[in-house]
Amino acid sequence: MDVQPKYKTLKNYVLKHIQDGTYKTKETIPSENELCKLFDTSRVTVRKAIDELVHENYLYRVQGVGTFVQDFSYHKQDTTNRVDLIFHDNNFLFSEFNSNIILGVEKVLSQAGLNIATYYSMNNADSQYDKINNAINEGAKAIILCGCLEEEKNTKLKEFVNCPIPIVCIDRYFETLPFDAVIGEDFDAGYEAGKTFIEHGCNNIGYYYPYSIESSVTKGRLNGLLQSMKDNDIVINENLVISHTNTKKENVYDYNAISNNIHNYLLNNKDLQGILVFNDITALLFYKEAARLGIRIPEDIELISFGNFYIDSIFEVGLTSFNQHVDKMGEEAAKIIINRLINKDDRRKIVKIKYELVRRKSC
């Protein structure tokens, strides 16, 4: 039987005392030192529990004074026209991706008199589900879910199929779950990348996905790439196709581990001529490890990525990358929500956004 982490036990303790009125609105909760003694634990554990309750709007801090219980009467009024936007991460390398989605969502929702509240689950699936429950319990109008840290067969999102408010997924598609979704034309992009490599004379073409958790996104891109190779009678080398790695779930963004994996991939596949990678971050790591091995891009290996974000400016040769138009994803997700709230349309909606290949010197 799984043992609940101590921070979670502490968090639930504080939350219970807020809900039963022991800790009253606008009054301080016990200090960090008092909670450390009560639970015989470290300040790190206490802060983790309190941080989550602050992010979930149960508590707020006053610098140099203490931590207070949120005024829920005000909070409930504030949620009347609220849509919760929940990201799986706030990693600084994803900041441009996230901010563009926010801009797109806000542009549409503001015209309908709706506000957005943005939350980050920080790579923690349990935190993601807590935030979904909070949105439901606090009276939010709808939820936009950007990213999911679980594969479809294992996801706990199944628990929300009868959610009383609309849930729209961005950049993920769950075939067996009824949620609306806004996704990219990943298959078409993978196909275009393969066609581009082949036009440049590449025969040994690879795909690299740096994480262990597969998704509809990477499956679409890989399938498109493979189909373009089949259509052009290019032999598929299975050693070049990396659809998942052994990156641990809790360290899904361990860039040192990913770099080591890429390094070994390049060492073991010296016949590689063209590589399609999952995102610009992965491309940067490829560029770094190739340079360490004396491999030139694009002279030795051509490189195509996804994102077309600020990170492209780091590359000396310029990174060929798909612009995913994530601001449009945000806009379409907001439109789906408005349609559901106003027209009560209960038909599942899947919107696909076309990517644009921005050609630079890496391919």
Side-chain angles (χ1 to χ4, degrees):
M1 189 172 95
D2 293 339
V3 178
Q4 182 171 254
K6 183 166 278 191
Y7 89 89
K8 199 82 171 178
T9 302
L10 197 156
K11 175 185 173 182
N12 290 338
Y13 171 88
V14 174
L15 182 57
K16 177 179 178 297
H17 282 66
I18 292 171
Q19 292 172 337
D20 68 17
T22 303
Y23 300 157
K24 301 185 185 307
T25 297
K26 295 186 178 181
E27 292 186 1
T28 57
I29 65 169
S31 67
E32 288 185 2
N33 285 336
E34 289 172 321
L35 290 171
C36 284
K37 291 177 183 177
L38 182 61
F39 283 86
D40 189 24
T41 192
S42 67
R43 292 174 72 93
V44 173
T45 299
V46 171
R47 283 176 183 168
K48 183 174 176 62
I50 300 305
D51 283 347
E52 287 199 1
L53 289 169
V54 169
H55 284 308
E56 292 165 13
N57 293 319
Y58 288 103
L59 300 172
Y60 64 95
R61 289 189 174 99
V62 177
Q63 188 70 31
V65 180
T67 303
F68 294 77
V69 177
Q70 185 63 266
D71 184 347
F72 290 101
S73 61
Y74 169 80
H75 188 65
K76 286 178 181 176
Q77 291 173 1
D78 193 44
T79 64
T80 304
N81 292 310
R82 192 184 89 194
V83 173
D84 282 9
L85 177 54
I86 303 173
F87 290 98
H88 73 90
D89 194 12
N90 194 28
N91 186 307
F92 78 98
L93 291 173
F94 288 102
S95 60
E96 190 172 355
F97 184 92
N98 292 349
S99 61
N100 277 300
I101 287 177
I102 293 170
L103 287 173
V105 171
E106 195 168 36
K107 176 182 177 181
V108 174
L109 290 186
S110 61
Q111 296 173 5
L114 294 168
N115 303 311
I116 63 169
T118 305
Y119 300 93
Y120 301 92
S121 57
M122 305 308 290
N123 267 348
N124 185 305
D126 288 337
S127 175
Q128 190 174 58
Y129 300 127
D130 286 344
K131 287 171 174 55
I132 294 173
N133 278 315
N134 289 341
I136 296 168
N137 295 333
E138 293 171 0
K141 293 290 188 183
I143 296 168
I144 298 175
L145 190 62
C146 187
C148 179
L149 299 173
E150 297 172 309
E151 293 179 343
E152 183 164 349
K153 62 183 179 181
N154 299 322
T155 180
K156 292 181 182 176
L157 281 175
K158 296 172 185 175
E159 298 174 9
F160 296 96
V161 294
N162 295 315
C163 180
I165 61 177
I167 294 179
V168 180
C169 296
I170 288 184
D171 200 36
R172 289 294 185 274
Y173 169 72
F174 297 100
E175 187 175 350
T176 61
L177 301 179
F179 304 117
D180 298 322
V182 181
I183 57 178
E185 292 278 10
D186 291 295
F187 180 92
D188 289 355
Y191 195 96
E192 184 178 358
K195 184 180 176 182
T196 302
F197 286 134
I198 294 165
E199 288 172 350
H200 292 180
C202 298
N203 291 313
N204 294 311
I205 300 169
Y207 176 82
Y208 187 88
Y209 177 69
Y211 312 128
S212 60
I213 304 165
E214 293 189 78
S215 70
S216 60
V217 177
T218 191
K219 290 176 183 176
R221 295 172 185 177
L222 176 56
N223 288 338
L225 177 68
L226 296 180
Q227 189 61 52
S228 70
M229 294 171 69
K230 291 175 184 176
D231 290 349
N232 288 276
D233 299 320
I234 301 295
V235 176
I236 297 169
N237 183 341
E238 297 294 343
N239 293 327
L240 299 181
V241 178
I242 305 298
S243 60
H244 66 279
T245 67
N246 58 0
T247 307
K248 294 181 180 179
K249 183 176 177 180
E250 59 270 24
N251 297 320
V252 70
Y253 299 123
D254 184 341
Y255 296 115
N256 287 325
I258 294 170
S259 289
N260 290 335
N261 198 305
I262 292 171
H263 187 90
N264 293 330
Y265 173 85
L266 290 170
L267 279 177
N268 295 328
N269 296 288
K270 295 183 179 179
D271 56 347
L272 179 69
Q273 295 174 307
I275 183 73
L276 177 64
V277 300
F278 183 67
N279 56 25
D280 290 350
I281 301 166
T282 312
L284 178 61
L285 299 180
F286 250 93
Y287 190 84
K288 181 189 74 170
E289 294 305 321
R292 288 179 60 193
L293 293 168
I295 299 170
R296 299 167 302 165
I297 294 175
E299 291 86 353
D300 300 320
I301 298 175
E302 295 198 357
L303 176 65
I304 299 178
S305 177
F306 289 84
N308 193 45
F309 293 127
Y310 73 92
I311 202 170
D312 295 330
S313 62
I314 297 173
F315 290 80
E316 183 178 350
V317 298
L319 177 62
T320 296
S321 183
F322 283 96
N323 185 340
Q324 296 174 252
H325 297 295
V326 292
D327 56 332
K328 292 182 181 178
M329 289 187 179
E331 290 179 20
E332 292 300 325
K335 290 176 184 177
I336 290 174
I337 284 172
I338 291 171
N339 190 46
R340 282 202 171 276
L341 294 177
I342 295 175
N343 299 323
K344 307 298 181 184
D345 187 351
D346 59 0
R347 293 171 297 176
R348 188 182 190 192
K349 186 84 170 175
I350 305 294
V351 176
K352 292 187 177 182
I353 303 297
K354 184 174 177 58
Y355 297 158
E356 174 193 1
L357 183 60
V358 181
R359 298 173 186 267
R360 300 187 182 92
K361 292 183 179 179
S362 73
C363 180

